[in-house]
Amino acid sequence: MNRYDEIASNLAAVQERIAKAAALAGRSEDEITLIAVTKTFPASDVDILSQLGISNFGENRDSDAAPKAASVAGTWHFQGQIQSNKLKSITSWSNVIHSLDEMKHFEIIEKIAPHSLEIFCQVSLDGSTGRGGASTEKLHELATAIGNSSRHRLVGLMAVAPLGVQPLEAFSQLSLIHKAFMVDFPKADKLSAGMSGDFEEAIALGATHIRIGSSILGSR
Ligand SMILES: *Cc1c(COP(=O)(O)O)cnc(C)c1O
């Protein structure tokens, strides 16, 4: 099978699973944004996805992402670990940041971002920062700072299920954290959760943005 047909067939299968999971949860598919995670894959794959109607792309590493974002039009999402010295570049090619978890990084974004960004705060579900994410205590301060920004928009929360925790359990916890969060930040109603291994569970628990790589593009 050529690469186009391979990606088309994987994508169709994923879209069918999304539709089923949404229906099971009594949700409309339109509430769910599929972000194709193109990290480590070439710009030619992003181009194929674009021809197949995908317009949201997710990346983890600035150096890998910048040239792809320059060559394929779309909404570009950054979801990787943030390094201060990369923020100038990250904020130049990305439209949405999913992995903000430190105040010092937001302060840099406020100073140097060349355009306005949509921002998800990443929350850690197990208190450890190994896979990124602020503690629920720190989250409030960070969200308040973004909420006070005149340029950038706080859109919601993002999380990754901790290793060794059942996805349904992790995303139930996330859903509770998000509901409590929305009492203070009612406009931050988006929830970025779910990857290839657990997106159906994430949809069941309210995810509005799912980030899928390997199920569409193959193993890395
Ligand atoms: C790599 C990655 C994904 C996509 O993972 P797959 O298992 O390939 O679908 C989603 N979110 C984050 C934060 C990632 O690092």
Side-chain angles (χ1 to χ4, degrees):
M1 219 194 289
N2 68 32
R3 188 65 174 149
Y4 183 95
D5 291 343
E6 186 184 353
I7 293 176
S9 133
N10 289 346
L11 177 63
V14 164
Q15 284 168 329
E16 199 177 310
R17 286 170 61 189
I18 293 170
K20 277 204 184 119
L24 257 175
R27 302 181 57 199
S28 158
E29 252 182 282
D30 304 344
E31 292 171 26
I32 297 157
T33 300
L34 167 60
I35 299 166
V37 175
T38 51
K39 66 183 180 198
T40 77
F41 290 98
S44 53
D45 282 358
V46 186
D47 206 42
I48 290 172
L49 286 164
S50 176
Q51 291 173 50
L52 290 165
I54 295 296
S55 59
N56 287 277
F57 306 107
E59 288 280 341
N60 285 51
R61 284 170 60 101
D62 175 63
S63 55
D64 187 27
K68 285 185 251 180
S71 79
V72 184
T75 301
W76 285 85
H77 301 254
F78 182 78
Q79 56 179 33
Q81 198 187 345
I82 297 176
Q83 288 172 278
S84 300
N85 62 347
K86 299 287 168 63
L87 273 172
K88 195 171 180 67
S89 176
I90 291 169
T91 58
S92 70
W93 59 260
S94 69
N95 309 99
V96 188
I97 293 184
H98 290 246
S99 44
L100 187 73
D101 58 5
E102 282 194 54
M103 187 67 92
K104 70 171 189 209
H105 292 149
F106 184 64
E107 286 163 359
I108 297 171
I109 289 172
E110 276 281 58
K111 283 204 193 92
I112 65 173
H115 54 243
S116 82
L117 294 160
E118 294 192 352
I119 300 177
F120 288 85
C121 289
Q122 184 176 351
V123 60
S124 167
L125 297 178
D126 61 0
S128 88
T129 50
R131 307 189 85 191
S135 63
T136 42
E137 296 81 52
K138 275 188 169 173
L139 196 60
H140 199 275
E141 189 189 10
L142 184 59
T144 301
I146 305 166
N148 286 337
S149 168
S150 55
R151 296 189 71 204
H152 306 296
R153 201 152 64 87
L154 174 70
V155 293
L157 293 184
M158 181 276 228
V160 176
L163 294 170
V165 178
Q166 290 298 320
L168 275 177
E169 191 183 318
F171 296 139
S172 304
Q173 184 195 356
L174 175 61
S175 167
L176 291 176
I177 292 170
H178 189 218
K179 286 195 175 106
F181 184 77
M182 278 186 18
V183 172
D184 294 322
F185 306 98
K187 288 184 191 151
D189 59 351
K190 304 291 187 286
L191 193 56
S192 170
M195 326 200 318
S196 290
D198 56 18
F199 69 86
E200 280 133 329
E201 289 91 340
I203 289 171
L205 286 153
T208 61
H209 290 67
I210 55 176
R211 312 175 310 269
I212 302 186
S214 51
S215 292
I216 299 173
L217 293 169
S219 56
R220 288 180 292 269

